């Protein structure tokens, strides 16, 4: 595949990045700080800190996806004898529902809307000892998983692949595809682009390679094993089932067969 555009293809893709760049959250800093103070009040004696944990922290924010992610770091024994992390998750939902509108439960987080800003809040218990590892409650599976948000932020923000990640996330949102960000990010960084140049003039070629790899029917990286570098017991490649992966393959194949970037990004 050799996707073209009337103007320089790299210039066009950087225009797309500018068009979909994450919103300026500084204009909402008062509301965000108010929410953080409220979260500290909710956590009470369990409170350690609130961590900016999502795409803004990683440098991969786009305007057509959720806005801000906050992780509420709690002490390792929080609610130990009263339901553990599951009760923390439910308690957070009830607390936020009393003060905010449009509050809803998600897989590991609770989403709250502040004006036009959507914020995902995740309660997590920090493991004991000198570590940044945290335990999260996974509501879909009614289970607990360990992860390390600070490692994720460091890995992705320093990967040199944030532009390719943002462009793939923009394509994901345009096509309404279920493709969890943490899986998408590490799949690009640790599998698909591992031997590709990080020079800015290679952006178009790299993205062509991404669509080619995701769209192929044999040896597709979506069917290789990919573990969470923060915890090998978290298999990122299991976040999607076979049908969900096939949907990505078919849409990536279509993108790979397009001649112009405009046909993909409009």
């Amino acid at each position: 595949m050799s996707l073209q555009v009337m103007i320089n293809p790299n210039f066009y893709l950087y225009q797309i990045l500018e068009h979909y760049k994450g919103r300026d959250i500084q204009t909402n800093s008062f509301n965000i700080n108010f929410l953080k103070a409220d979260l500290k009040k909710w956590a009470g004696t369990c409170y350690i800190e609130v961590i900016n944990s999502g795409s803004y922290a990683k440098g991969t924010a786009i305007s057509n996806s959720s806005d801000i992610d906050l992780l509420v770091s709690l002490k390792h024994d929080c609610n130990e004898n009263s339901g553990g992390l599951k009760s923390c998750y439910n308690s957070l939902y009830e607390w936020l529902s009393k003060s905010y509108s449009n509050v809803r439960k998600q897989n590991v987080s609770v989403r709250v809307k502040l004006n036009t800003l959507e914020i995902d809040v995740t309660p997590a218990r920090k493991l004991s000892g000198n570590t940044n590892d945290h335990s999260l409650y996974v509501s879909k599976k009614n289970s607990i998983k360990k992860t390390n948000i600070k490692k994720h932020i460091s890995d992705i923000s320093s990967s040199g692949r944030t532009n390719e990640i943002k462009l793939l996330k923009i394509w994901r949102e345009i096509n309404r595809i279920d493709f969890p960000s943490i899986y998408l990010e590490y799949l690009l960084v640790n599998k698909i682009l591992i031997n590709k140049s990080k020079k800015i003039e290679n952006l178009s070629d790299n993205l062509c390679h991404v669509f080619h790899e995701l769209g192929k029917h044999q040896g597709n990286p979506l069917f290789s094993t990919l573990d969470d570098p923060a915890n090998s017991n978290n298999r990122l490649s299991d976040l999607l089932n076979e049908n969900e992966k096939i949907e990505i393959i078919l849409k990536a194949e279509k993108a790979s067969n397009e001649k112009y970037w405009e046909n993909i990004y409009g």
Side-chain angles (χ1 to χ4, degrees):
M1 179 181 71
S2 179
L3 283 167
Q4 303 172 23
V5 69
M6 294 301 290
I7 57 176
N8 179 289
N10 287 311
F11 180 72
Y12 176 80
L13 291 175
Y14 282 107
Q15 284 185 319
I16 293 298
L17 288 171
E18 179 64 21
H19 179 74
Y20 286 99
K21 72 177 181 181
R23 288 191 289 170
D24 180 9
I25 60 173
Q26 294 302 317
T27 57
N28 289 281
S29 59
F30 176 82
N31 288 329
I32 295 169
N33 289 334
F34 184 87
L35 174 62
K36 287 182 176 179
D38 208 16
L39 294 171
K40 183 177 181 180
K41 190 184 300 181
W42 163 76
T45 57
C46 289
Y47 181 81
I48 297 178
E49 63 178 327
V50 175
I51 301 170
N52 294 320
S53 58
S55 58
Y56 274 90
K58 295 174 184 173
T60 59
I62 56 173
S63 62
N64 57 348
S65 188
S66 62
D67 296 309
I68 298 175
D69 298 85
L70 300 176
L71 182 138
V72 187
S73 179
L74 306 168
K75 293 179 180 176
H76 73 278
D77 56 353
C78 183
N79 281 14
E80 185 68 30
N81 298 315
S82 55
L85 256 176
K86 182 177 181 178
S87 72
C88 294
Y89 173 85
N90 289 324
S91 168
L92 175 64
Y93 171 74
E94 291 169 7
W95 175 275
L96 292 173
S97 295
K98 291 176 183 176
S99 304
Y100 303 90
S101 58
N102 299 315
V103 177
R104 76 164 192 257
K105 290 181 177 180
Q106 303 194 125
N107 192 27
V108 298
S109 65
V110 177
R111 175 165 291 183
V112 58
K113 194 165 185 177
L114 295 178
N115 298 323
T116 60
L117 204 62
E118 291 184 331
I119 302 179
D120 292 339
V121 183
T122 302
R125 292 199 309 195
K126 186 175 181 294
L127 274 60
S128 60
N130 185 23
T131 177
N132 288 318
D133 289 348
H134 283 78
S135 295
L136 312 175
Y137 173 66
V138 183
S139 61
K140 285 183 180 177
K141 296 184 177 179
N142 192 29
S143 62
I144 305 296
K145 76 172 182 180
K146 187 185 80 171
T147 192
N148 189 319
I149 299 297
K150 290 188 176 179
K151 177 171 175 54
H152 293 165
I153 294 170
S154 175
D155 285 352
I156 301 305
S157 63
S158 64
S159 67
R161 302 299 189 187
T162 54
N163 284 334
E164 288 92 339
I165 289 170
K166 285 188 284 190
L167 286 165
L168 193 61
K169 287 172 67 176
I170 292 166
W171 171 79
R172 175 193 69 185
E173 296 302 318
I174 291 173
N175 288 277
R176 301 179 183 275
I177 298 170
D178 185 7
F179 200 163
S181 290
I182 186 70
Y183 181 27
L184 180 156
E185 291 161 352
Y186 276 110
L187 190 64
L188 260 61
V189 171
N190 289 354
K191 293 277 189 183
I192 296 177
L193 293 175
I194 192 166
N195 293 317
K196 304 297 285 185
S197 170
K198 296 182 179 180
K199 294 180 178 178
I200 58 173
E201 61 266 31
N202 285 86
L203 181 61
S204 179
D205 289 343
N206 285 349
L207 199 59
C208 284
H209 179 70
V210 169
F211 283 125
H212 172 75
E213 288 295 299
L214 289 177
K216 65 186 185 182
H217 289 249
Q218 291 188 342
N220 193 300
L222 285 166
F223 290 106
S224 63
T225 299
L226 182 65
D227 292 330
D228 180 351
N231 177 12
S232 59
N233 290 322
N234 291 340
R235 183 143 291 175
L236 300 178
S237 47
D238 287 348
L239 290 173
L240 295 174
N241 60 38
E242 183 173 346
N243 287 336
E244 291 166 334
K245 291 181 179 181
I246 289 173
E247 182 184 8
I248 294 173
I249 291 170
L250 293 176
K251 292 192 174 178
E253 181 183 29
K254 182 175 183 298
S256 184
N257 288 330
E258 294 287 359
K259 189 174 181 181
Y260 299 104
W261 284 119
E262 290 98 323
N263 293 340
I264 298 173
Y265 289 103

